[in-house]
Amino acid sequence: FIWGEVTELNGQDRTATVKPMFAQEKEIIDFDFCVIAAGCNFGVFHKWGESLWFPTIHAVARPEGSWPHLDERFLEGRRRHILEEYASIQQLNEKSAQVLVVGAGFIGVEWITELQHFFPKLKLTIIDALPQCLGPLPAKAAAYCSKYMKKKGIKEFYSMKYNAKDPGFYSSLGIQGKPDKEYICIGVKASNYFMPPEVLSEKGPGGGGWILMDMTLAVKTREGKVWSADEQGYARIYAVGDCNYGCVEGPGKPDDWPIPPIPKISYPGEEEAIIAI
């Protein structure tokens, strides 16, 4: 076990450049097989995918983040960030601030209902591009949560996309001026900074940057070739879960592809890992 961050993966040499947690210099280690299960980030509008729901841990992202004074690679850094956010919300609550939650999936709904429960003076609004909250879940679950939010005075707007650049956007939500705080709870963003561009998608959620894979989940190039093949042509590096492209493209519509687009949630990732192993 090595406690550190992989900053570069070399498929031809089958080596990984690692920055150990408590060392100044990087190290290069070799391997026979590699399974990449690096996940992704969630701040779709932020350069590095920064989000309150995932600690800022990557070396390239920490200096340019919104809380560079905190090192969230450690439990204490994460704890202090939570305390800072709590204090900030307390101040918003004291002045009955306007808060907008963008995205009514399970994270957005959970967050806005917790805000209402613990900070009841906040004026809360939630929006989503889908016609109801909790889009992928059963209709009864969505109706239950919508009924609860309405009862608690949370304003809901559906079939509406987030567009802060539109002068009339906030007024259409009944918000005067701009909200005092916005929480973005939509989308995903790739964080495969250690991989070369030749194996990363040029499109996809959050602008692309996802690891391309074949039907065996082996990493491939944009030309469709196995990226790290051995002397017999067998793959040595695989990408599973949210870090990969989530599909294998083919002719026709996405539903007709060899692997149609898979949602970037943990459950498909677990199944993919079993296949790769």
Side-chain angles (χ1 to χ4, degrees), residues 96-265:
S96 299
Q98 300 178 108
V99 176
L100 174 64
V101 173
V102 180
F106 72 91
I107 291 179
V109 169
E110 180 181 27
W111 180 239
I112 202 166
T113 51
E114 286 191 354
L115 287 175
Q116 189 283 322
H117 181 79
F118 293 104
F119 306 95
K121 294 181 181 179
L122 294 175
K123 299 175 182 177
L124 300 167
T125 303
I126 188 168
I127 69 168
D128 200 283
L130 295 178
Q132 66 177 35
C133 65
L134 304 176
L137 298 183
K140 287 186 178 180
Y144 171 84
C145 289
S146 183
K147 181 180 179 181
Y148 177 88
M149 289 189 286
K150 183 177 181 180
K151 178 181 177 182
K152 295 297 182 178
I154 298 171
K155 296 180 180 179
E156 303 169 76
F157 293 87
Y158 301 114
S159 299
M160 178 176 290
K161 291 185 178 181
Y162 176 72
N163 188 4
K165 296 181 180 179
D166 182 353
F169 172 68
Y170 292 117
S171 60
S172 68
L173 303 176
I175 297 176
Q176 299 177 357
K178 290 186 176 182
D180 299 287
K181 183 72 174 181
E182 291 183 345
Y183 292 101
I184 307 299
C185 303
I186 57 174
V188 289
K189 199 174 185 71
S191 54
N192 300 308
Y193 317 123
F194 54 92
M195 298 295 283
E198 66 195 72
V199 299
L200 299 178
S201 70
E202 298 180 273
K203 57 185 178 180
W210 306 97
I211 301 174
L212 300 170
M213 83 287 190
D214 64 15
M215 291 293 291
T216 68
L217 301 178
V219 177
K220 69 177 183 179
T221 66
R222 292 175 180 174
E223 289 72 35
K225 298 179 180 179
V226 176
W227 180 52
S228 180
D230 59 19
E231 295 75 10
Q232 296 179 320
Y234 294 113
R236 293 298 190 95
I237 302 179
Y238 298 82
V240 304
D242 291 346
C243 66
N244 70 28
Y245 192 28
C247 62
V248 173
E249 295 180 336
K253 298 180 180 180
D255 287 343
D256 299 324
W257 292 352
I259 298 181
I262 299 172
K264 290 193 174 296
I265 55 177

Side-chain angles (χ1 to χ4, degrees), residues 85-94 111 115 119 122 183:
E85 189 65 27
Y86 179 79
S88 174
I89 300 173
Q90 278 186 316
Q91 294 178 356
L92 292 173
N93 186 60
E94 290 172 1
W111 180 239
L115 287 175
F119 306 95
L122 294 175
Y183 292 101

